[in-house]
Amino acid sequence: FIWNHPLTKRHRWAAFSRWLRWQLGSRLVRSPVLVPFVGKSLLVIERSMVGATGNHYCGLHEFADMAFILHGLREGDLFLDIGANVGSYTVLASGVVGCETISAEPAPSTFEKLTRNVRVNGLESKVDLKNCPIGESTSTVWFSLDRDAMNRVVEEEYPGEKIGLPVRTIDEILSEHPHSNRPMIWKVDVEGFESKVLQGAEASLRKAQVMAVLLEANQPEITKKMEGFGFQLADYDPWLRQVIPVTDGQAQRSTSNYLWIRDYRWISERCQSAGMVEVLGERF
């Protein structure tokens, strides 16, 4: 991963040095560590935080997707980070770009780490934190507590440690939010429950304000739904600032996320006109 990452190809040994120092240091210190992220932003990371430590090694763990967030958002926009984990995307959106963010994370222990990253960057006024699962309707689901970063929705019969949590929908949350009329980009990463999240977001997806959605999953029902709402699958090249339509249904992505775009001209102009971003000495 480090050897092939786009931001480390010219600085591989520096990246490996960060990896080695982290592997050794985290075993000795065994406590959270504050590290620089993008610009003046910071991340608090710990062992087992795969995505967050990937940011430390390589600048942006999911380069194309994170670069799209940095290029596509503006200060007056609204970003939805559904399945925020410890908040890497939230920090980029609100801490680097400066937009408003709704950040939802259901696992209580992970939510504490998300809240910590919001606070250490002074983003309390910009980030609306939601400690709840997002789904298709208001109900209650069981959520595992003993799988660390891989905590997820489980059956009531799950033998491990779990908690019952009230589910909210995107439609419900946005109906209460004062900035839901602003341009929006969403990131939805909910461990296979993306389809259910979209079912609870149909009213919002009809609104022209939703310009792009990053989804971890791409099942046929998701494709049908997103195309029905006027979105098209795309790739993004951060170096060229190009949003590339996908015509064969198979996006050649460097991450597990799929990018859905509503208005190519609008988002392309956004990305082309964004200020330069510098990460680990690379500008894009």
Side-chain angles (χ1 to χ4, degrees):
F1 171 76
I2 294 173
W3 187 263
N4 293 310
H5 194 281
L7 292 177
T8 63
K9 287 184 176 180
R10 296 198 302 163
H11 317 280
R12 284 171 172 152
W13 298 116
F16 277 116
S17 177
R18 285 189 295 275
W19 172 82
L20 181 60
R21 288 199 305 271
W22 175 255
Q23 295 303 317
L24 295 174
S26 63
R27 286 164 170 77
L28 294 172
V29 176
R30 295 182 179 272
S31 62
V33 177
L34 190 65
V35 298
F37 192 20
V38 178
K40 296 180 179 180
S41 68
L42 303 165
L43 282 180
V44 184
I45 62 174
E46 302 175 32
R47 288 189 65 192
S48 79
M49 289 184 178
V50 177
T53 53
N55 291 324
H56 179 48
Y57 308 149
C58 300
L60 294 174
H61 181 248
E62 297 178 328
F63 176 56
D65 300 333
M66 289 178 159
F68 177 76
I69 295 303
L70 291 168
H71 291 158
L73 286 169
R74 294 294 184 273
E75 189 170 346
D77 294 349
L78 180 61
F79 176 59
L80 267 64
D81 194 358
I82 307 301
N85 202 271
V86 302
S88 297
Y89 278 84
T90 292
V91 171
L92 290 177
S94 289
V96 180
V97 177
C99 70
E100 305 287 328
T101 297
I102 297 173
S103 190
E105 171 54 47
S109 60
T110 307
F111 182 78
E112 290 178 6
K113 296 166 185 174
L114 164 64
T115 302
R116 183 175 62 189
N117 275 317
V118 169
R119 287 175 177 166
V120 79
N121 286 284
L123 301 176
E124 294 92 334
S125 64
K126 287 186 174 293
V127 180
D128 184 0
L129 292 164
K130 307 289 186 185
N131 185 199
C132 63
I134 307 298
E136 61 184 316
S137 61
T138 54
S139 59
T140 300
V141 299
W142 292 96
F143 206 85
S144 65
L145 296 175
D146 53 2
R147 301 174 66 176
D148 199 55
M150 297 303 294
N151 280 320
R152 60 188 300 167
V153 174
V154 295
E155 299 295 330
E156 188 173 357
E157 295 77 19
Y158 178 72
E161 188 178 0
K162 61 185 181 294
I163 187 173
L165 297 171
V167 178
R168 299 192 69 188
T169 68
I170 288 179
D171 284 344
E172 177 191 11
I173 289 171
L174 285 178
S175 70
E176 302 169 354
H177 202 276
H179 302 311
S180 60
N181 61 338
R182 297 183 179 185
M184 282 184 269
I185 293 177
W186 301 1
K187 189 270 288 179
V188 180
D189 181 356
V190 289
E191 302 295 336
F193 281 79
E194 285 77 9
S195 182
K196 292 184 179 296
V197 170
L198 295 180
Q199 288 177 35
E202 293 190 354
S204 301
L205 285 169
R206 292 189 182 96
K207 296 180 179 179
Q209 288 94 334
V210 186
M211 303 309 301
V213 181
L214 275 165
L215 291 169
E216 189 182 33
N218 191 36
Q219 294 95 351
E221 64 268 23
I222 289 179
T223 296
K224 182 178 180 181
K225 185 179 292 291
M226 295 303 291
E227 289 179 346
F229 285 118
F231 292 86
Q232 185 178 347
L233 198 60
D235 284 327
Y236 184 62
D237 184 332
W239 302 110
L240 299 177
R241 308 273 186 105
Q242 287 185 350
V243 181
I244 307 162
V246 173
T247 56
D248 60 1
Q250 296 296 319
Q252 301 299 312
R253 308 281 291 155
S254 59
T255 74
S256 59
N257 299 316
Y258 293 85
L259 176 62
W260 291 92
I261 299 293
R262 169 167 272 145
D263 186 331
Y264 274 99
R265 177 175 295 180
W266 186 89
I267 202 68
S268 294
E269 290 176 354
R270 271 292 189 95
C271 292
Q272 289 288 337
S273 63
M276 294 295 290
V277 180
E278 182 170 338
V279 180
L280 299 183
E282 298 288 346
R283 290 170 59 84
F284 52 90

